[in-house]
Amino acid sequence: ANSLLRMQRILSLLFIIASLALAQEILPNALLTTNVARYRAAGTLNIACTGVNRTSAIYGINSNLTNLATNASAGIYNGSFVASDGSFTRLVQSLNTSTTPGYLANFLGVALRNSGNGALSRIVFLTRYDTVGGVLPVTNCTADNNGTVFSIPFEASYGFYRAAAPPTDVTFATLKTSARAIGNLQYTCTAGTWVGPSNINSTLYNLEETTPVGSYNGSFTSSDGSVTSVIGGSATSYNIAPGAALAYFLARATPVTGNLTFNNVSYIARYDTVGGVIQAIDGVCNSTNEGTIISKPFAASYNFYTATNTTMSSSSVSGSSSVSASSSISGSSSSSVSGSSTRVSTTTAANSDASICTLSLALIATFVGLY
């Protein structure tokens, strides 16, 4: 009897552990993202038998969404998430998954980002967790039921995240203006490596993407003619969605005195990025495609800061601090900031004044959450 009781307790503990794992959400970086909604989907999905012990991918999803915070109807999920206000998003690329046999996997993924102000507008990350049902055991598929379609009930919770904007005012810098770049950039197959980005060609808009305000082609040019650009080797980057989107960065800019939009800009931060990186679908760079050029669409938001501490000139810090060895400005380890041959430096200037370095790192830390 005692052995049976111990076994029951062990099984109960394992069940609790499994339940906690199923409910555990795989979160994006909390300092760089903001959760804007959590919905619960409940409905059915289709899975077909495609052979003995073989099943198809999920299709034919038909479910309703409920807002977990208010318990109100929030829209539908049919492969895309469509909110009651018409805004929508969907999973573009999975970044991290956690699987438990017999359950739909938990995941963190990159979402389709759409402009606008709806409930599901400007979503950059999507999570799934706390799943129930939605799985067809492969043993259900035999030689006798090949092609049979099963409609399977399921439930799952989904989290929706937007990019958090960098701070507008810190110890020694104040936000002057912001813009969103939308366009294309290129990578070239060179000696076995995709090198880029280069030949950046994009239009700058306001953050709402409704009004053109300039262009970005490696340098940022405002409609009023003022220009600013990143100082090569001055950037610190954070690869928030490896293989899916350009890295976030904070970099120094050369301030040009004046009263125009991009005058007196000392720092540039990039965030809320979409695309712009080489992916598996683009293929491997090798001797058979040497010189091949691939054009990639991208979008990114940029903040432009004015230094409020006049002792921090653009030459005060000549090196940079790297977040990780794999995190470059473009999301590719061989990439430059502006498309020129200047590479991202990972050294910090030994001769820089210690207090200036501390202040510089403070802004970087505030943005990418290093400390």
Side-chain angles (χ1 to χ4, degrees):
N2 289 335
S3 297
L4 179 59
L5 181 60
R6 283 196 297 271
M7 181 60 69
Q8 289 175 334
R9 288 175 176 172
I10 291 172
L11 291 175
S12 296
L13 180 59
L14 290 174
F15 177 78
I16 292 171
I17 293 172
S19 298
L20 289 174
L22 289 169
Q24 186 66 43
E25 183 179 8
I26 305 172
L27 296 170
N29 188 304
L31 293 174
L32 302 183
T33 58
T34 301
N35 175 257
V36 294
R38 295 186 192 280
Y39 294 162
R40 183 78 175 169
T44 61
L45 52 80
N46 292 340
I47 300 177
C49 286
T50 57
V52 177
N53 294 334
R54 293 175 58 189
T55 61
S56 69
I58 292 171
Y59 68 100
I61 300 170
N62 181 16
S63 65
N64 294 314
L65 297 174
T66 301
N67 189 312
L68 287 175
T70 64
N71 206 35
S73 176
I76 62 172
Y77 171 46
N78 58 6
S80 292
F81 299 87
V82 184
S84 299
D85 61 12
S87 58
F88 68 95
T89 188
R90 60 176 172 81
L91 179 68
V92 173
Q93 181 177 338
S94 179
L95 297 175
N96 194 1
T97 60
S98 174
T99 59
T100 299
Y103 294 86
L104 291 170
N106 293 0
F107 66 69
L108 164 65
V110 175
L112 176 68
R113 186 192 187 282
N114 289 304
S115 59
N117 295 308
L120 296 181
S121 298
R122 308 190 314 280
I123 302 298
V124 293
F125 289 105
L126 169 65
T127 65
R128 180 172 70 191
Y129 61 101
D130 197 9
T131 63
V132 177
V135 175
L136 177 66
V138 294
T139 53
N140 284 26
C141 295
T142 66
D144 297 328
N145 64 356
N146 186 29
T148 300
V149 177
F150 293 84
S151 180
I152 303 173
F154 84 98
E155 291 187 23
S157 295
Y158 294 87
F160 302 88
Y161 294 82
R162 291 182 183 142
T168 59
D169 191 9
V170 290
T171 305
F172 59 89
T174 300
L175 179 67
K176 182 177 185 184
T177 189
S178 301
R180 185 156 181 85
I182 301 176
N184 294 275
L185 47 78
Q186 294 180 345
Y187 291 87
T188 303
C189 178
T190 306
T193 301
W194 289 109
V195 176
S198 62
N199 296 325
I200 300 169
N201 182 16
S202 66
T203 300
L204 291 178
Y205 296 87
N206 60 344
L207 291 182
E208 292 73 29
E209 302 177 15
T210 58
T211 305
V213 296
S215 63
Y216 171 48
N217 60 2
S219 294
F220 299 89
T221 303
S222 172
S223 299
D224 61 17
S226 57
V227 179
T228 189
S229 60
V230 168
I231 297 175
S234 72
T236 290
S237 62
Y238 182 86
N239 207 350
I240 192 168
L246 292 167
Y248 289 21
F249 73 65
L250 175 71
R252 301 193 69 98
T254 303
V256 177
T257 303
N259 298 314
L260 301 177
T261 301
F262 287 149
N263 289 155
N264 307 312
V265 171
S266 296
Y267 304 95
I268 301 174
R270 180 170 72 190
Y271 64 102
D272 199 0
T273 59
V274 176
V277 297
I278 291 293
Q279 298 174 295
I281 194 174
D282 298 311
V284 177
C285 169
N286 54 39
S287 59
T288 63
N289 59 352
E290 178 76 13
T292 297
I293 297 175
I294 291 180
S295 181
K296 303 291 292 186
F298 84 98
S301 295
Y302 294 87
N303 275 6
F304 302 87
Y305 294 88
T306 297
T308 55
N309 185 333
T310 57
T311 65
M312 296 189 64
S313 66
S314 62
S315 60
S316 295
V317 179
S318 59
S320 71
S321 175
S322 176
V323 176
S324 68
S326 62
S327 299
S328 70
I329 299 309
S330 69
S332 168
S333 60
S334 62
S335 303
S336 66
V337 175
S338 63
S340 67
S341 59
T342 304
R343 303 299 184 188
V344 178
S345 171
T346 57
T347 60
T348 303
N351 297 326
S352 296
D353 179 80
S355 61
I356 293 174
C357 285
T358 300
L359 287 172
S360 181
L361 287 172
L363 180 58
I364 293 168
T366 303
F367 177 48
V368 301
L370 293 178
Y371 303 106

